[in-house]
Every structure is written in C-alpha cells, then in structure tokens.
Amino acid sequence: MHFTSYEKTVITEAFKDTLMLLFTTGGLVLIFGLFIGLVLYFTETSETRKGYVAHKTFGVVIDIFRSIPFIILMIILIPFTVLIMNTMLGPKAAIPALVLSAGPFYGRIIYNALKEIPKGHIEAIKAMGANRTTFIVLLIKESLPSLIAGFTVTMVSLVGFIAAAGAVGAGGLGDLARRRALTMDYDMMYVSVVLLLVIVLFIQIIGDYAVKKIDKR
Amino acid sequence: MIELIGINKSYETKNHTFDVLKNINLKLDERMCHGIVGYSGAGKSTLVRLMNGLIKPSSGKILIDQVDLFNQDKKTINALRHQIGFVFQSHNLLSQLTVYDNVLLSLKISKYPKKLRHSRVMEVLDRVGLQTKAFSYPKTLSGGQQQRVGIARAIATKPKYLLCDEITSALDVTTALEVVKVLNDIQAQEQITIVFISHQMDIILAIADQVIVMKDGQIEEIQETKRLFIDPLSETTKMLLKQGQLDDFRADHTYQLMYDSNCVYEMVLSTMIKRYMVDLSILYAQTISIKKEIIGIMIIKLKGAFLADALSFLESHQIRVSPFNKEMS
C-alpha cells in the first residue's frame, strides 16, 4: 500500500474536515442537547397542567427530529442551511442537519439521566433552599457520569452521521471513502474507513475513562 | 415557633382521594425536641415535609416564626429553608461530592460568610465525629456515618429548626442510639428545636421532650415524654409502647410500680420480700432511658400478711404504687 503525496494530502484534508465537523457539531450538540434535556425535565417535574402540555408537545417535536433519517433531514433542511450558512455544499453545510439530528438524541439521553437522579437527592437540594441556577448545576454534577457516557454515544453516532453527510457533499472521510470506492481505489477507501474507526475507538476509550474516573456513585 | 393550623393534605388518583393528614393543629415550642411517632401510613413524613415546604397542604397554614410559609415567594421560602435543617431517612448525600463538599454545599446555598465556611465544615464534622472522613465519598461510608454527615450538613448553617425524618429506621439499634446521642449533644449545645419522626418508640423516648402520637393522619395524643410512658392515654400509644396487652394482667393483688433513676440501683424488692415476708411474682417489667433519665414500669402480683406495710415500704423508696385490678381499668 503506497500513497502519493497528493493522496496523503487528500486523506489529511478529509481527516481534518471530519474532525472539524465532529468538534464543531459536538460542541453545539452538547449545548442544544443540554437545553432540550433540561426543558424536558423541568416541564415534566413542574406538576402543573401547563407544564404537562409543554412537556408532551416538546417531546413530540424532539422525537420527530430524532425519527427522520439523517440523509432525508439534510435534504429537507437545504433551504434553512442556505439561509444560515450561505451554502449547501461542504463541511459547513452539514452542521445544521447534524445538530438538529444529534441534539434531540442527546437531549433525550440527558433527560433520562436527570430522571435517574434519586428523588431523595432532589428533595435534599430543595430542602437546603437552593435557587434554580444552583439546582441545575447540582443536577448536572449529580448526573455527570451518565451525561458523559451519553455524550460518548452521541459523538460516536455523530461520526456515523458525518460520514453519511459526506455522501451528500459535506466532504470528510466518509465522502472520500465513497468516492474512492466508486473508482475502485480500495486502498484509499480502507484507509478512510480505518481512520473513522480510529476516531470512534478514541472517543469511546476517552469517554469510558472519563466516566470511570468521575463516577463516585 | 412552628405552628400548624388546620392542616389537611389529600392525594388524588383517578378513582380515589387519600386523606393523608386530617385537620392537624400543632404548636412546636422552641428549643425542645418534639418526637412524632406512629405506625407506617400515619402521615408523619408528610407532616414533616410540609414544615419545610417540600410539599404543599391541601388546606391550612404553616407559620414559621409567625411567617406564613405557603404565602411567600420562592426566594423567601428558600431563605426560610436556611433556618430549617432537614435530615432524611436515606441520607440523600450527593454522591458526586465528598463529605466535605456535601456539608460545604449547604453553607454555599445559605450564603454563609466565605471566610468562615472551611472552619464551620470542620467544626460540624468534628461534632459528628467524622473529621477524618472529610474527603471521602459517601459510598465509602457506613449507613450510620452517612447519617451523621446528613446531620452535619443540616446543622452547618446553624438552623433554628432541625427536621429529622425516620433517620434511624435503617440503622441497627447501637448505631441508632449513637445517632440519637449526637442529636442530644447538638441540641444541648446549639439550643436547636428538633422535630424527630420515627415509628420506633424506644428511639423517640430516648430523644424527645414531648411526644406527638399519630394515627391515620390525625394526632391521637400529645404528652410530655415521661408522662406518656407512665400514663399512655391512647391505644396507639400503648401499642407503640408494647403495653397493649397489659390489661390482661389486671387482677386482685396486682400492682403497677413506677420507678426512676433514684431507685433503680437499690435492692428495694428483695429487701421488701425479706423484711415483710411477701410472695412476689413479676408479670411485666420495662425499663427505658428517657433523655438521660432511667425510668421503669413493673406489674407485680403481691401476697402476704404484711402487704400494706410492704406497699408503704415501696412508696417510701420513691416507687409509685397503684392497684392494677379490673375495677381500675
């Protein structure tokens, strides 16, 4: 297996594109997911009719985004993508669809993690007279191992989404693998796939290590 | 003072309404330990959660130092909660925080002066005997140790009131009595008002100055602890004191003796038997510790020629004697 300097550059560029997309969307998914998870949690625990309706409505909207296949979502979102990113091609163009697909997924994970916090711990925080901000910070701290484990799963899914996004012009390793497979350049295709595999393994190892280190439950 | 006025609490399901508390009126004086006792489902935990605003009553008012708890905005309720420490049955320590951070958390939330926080954390941990465990995580501690951290967390802010909800229920007797001792010492030192919930009457007797007996969401009896033990009024109290079957002993020549710390170490009974040549049979006896005082109850059958003298002898040794025959029931 021998690669020309051009091929090496192509692989490096694709690798960089994938990582850029992964970190950018990862950061946005973290924020968006946290928002969704907290909204789902607080609307459910508000114990009011209004809260119940808001929780159910928000839940349905979230699940719609979760259930649309990623490729379809990307196509549906083209006008929106053009509007906010000024392009429908390249890595940048994949960001809205990636965030809107993985954000709700991670939001549900966060919501479930928050719900797993023992009721007694919630009561203890309330009984101490904590305000809403302190309450949220403590909820996040208490569920941190589950949030990190969930983020690891989300990031691994994102790698898959990013590779798929490549097929519709987002670039990156997925795009490279697909294009080279079509021209029967299997060496380049294998290298792209192995690099994707390395990214996934790296995320999983880091995630598992962090959970092990942080989990004091 | 904590005052409950006409408190009712109901839970509704699709088909039923469960009345958990029914018209509770109660005044809890300051600097005392109030024990609330009753069987499971009596409404004790609901009552204590109301006092902290963790749940709202269906009707009625709760006044904390004359302030209507449920007629305040969230900020004021939180400020009131800084004055009311809460210790839970299952400790409820935050698992991701060390013992030190768990205690520190209550100080941060109550905006305790920053410079004094460290010394206060170490002081309360010392008070519950856990200074050496300050940087351990809750899961590495035993149940009794976790409960003591819970107490340290609750008293760190120097609250005026301390609510304890079944905090000894999951502990063995020795550990439970250790926790009671910690609380008794804290009350003596900090002049705190304690509301102690339990279904274990012996624990309540060991800690409370006043006992409130509950059954089916209602208050059955309120008495000073010693009085409650000697002269229980309600059937629930008698059952909780395990004195429910005592009436079966009622018969002629049967007497109930009450004694306290002054005479438990004297050989009163054996001296009486020898001196007055009486026959004695012990039908029932129970000695308990109320706070630091020892107090006992005994039912005996007594026969002999000098019975009147024997009974006078007992009374001269500060043992209260009363006939325990059928007419007295």
Side-chain angles (χ1 to χ4, degrees), chain A residues 118-121 123-132 134 138 141-145 214-217, chain B residues 49 52 54 74 78 81-82 84 86 88 92-97 102 105-106 109 111 137 139 153:
Chain A
K119 200 179 157 225
H121 292 200
E123 273 195 330
I125 298 169
K126 283 184 184 168
M128 281 187 267
N131 60 26
R132 181 56 70 93
T134 312
L138 290 172
K141 260 192 190 173
E142 201 57 11
S143 58
L144 200 56
I214 284 169
D215 199 351
K216 306 293 178 193
R217 292 173 296 185
Chain B
R49 274 169 170 71
N52 185 273
L54 284 174
K74 270 194 175 172
N78 282 338
R81 280 172 175 162
H82 300 158
I84 309 169
F86 205 120
F88 297 86
N92 292 340
L93 300 177
L94 300 190
S95 47
Q96 290 293 110
L97 303 182
N102 263 287
L105 179 64
S106 66
I109 289 175
K111 298 190 170 59
Y137 283 91
K139 76 166 180 184
R153 180 176 67 178

Side-chain angles (χ1 to χ4, degrees), chain B residues 85-110:
Chain B
F86 205 120
V87 192
F88 297 86
Q89 178 180 4
S90 48
H91 334 301
N92 292 340
L93 300 177
L94 300 190
S95 47
Q96 290 293 110
L97 303 182
T98 60
V99 165
Y100 182 95
D101 287 333
N102 263 287
V103 180
L104 182 67
L105 179 64
S106 66
L107 296 175
K108 281 182 180 171
I109 289 175
S110 67

Side-chain angles (χ1 to χ4, degrees), chain B residues 153-183:
Chain B
R153 180 176 67 178
I155 63 162
T157 56
K158 298 184 179 170
K160 204 169 166 185
Y161 306 99
L162 183 65
L163 310 178
C164 304
D165 182 22
E166 296 273 13
I167 66 170
T168 55
S169 302
L171 306 177
D172 60 76
V173 179
T174 314
T175 316
L177 289 172
E178 274 175 28
V179 169
V180 166
K181 188 184 175 307
V182 168
L183 280 176

Side-chain angles (χ1 to χ4, degrees), chain A residues 3 32 35 39 44 83 96 110 120 160 179 188-189 192 198:
Chain A
F3 296 113
F32 189 41
F35 170 76
V39 170
E44 187 181 48
L83 188 74
I110 289 177
R179 280 189 284 115
M188 285 285 274
M189 183 197 78
S192 303
V198 168

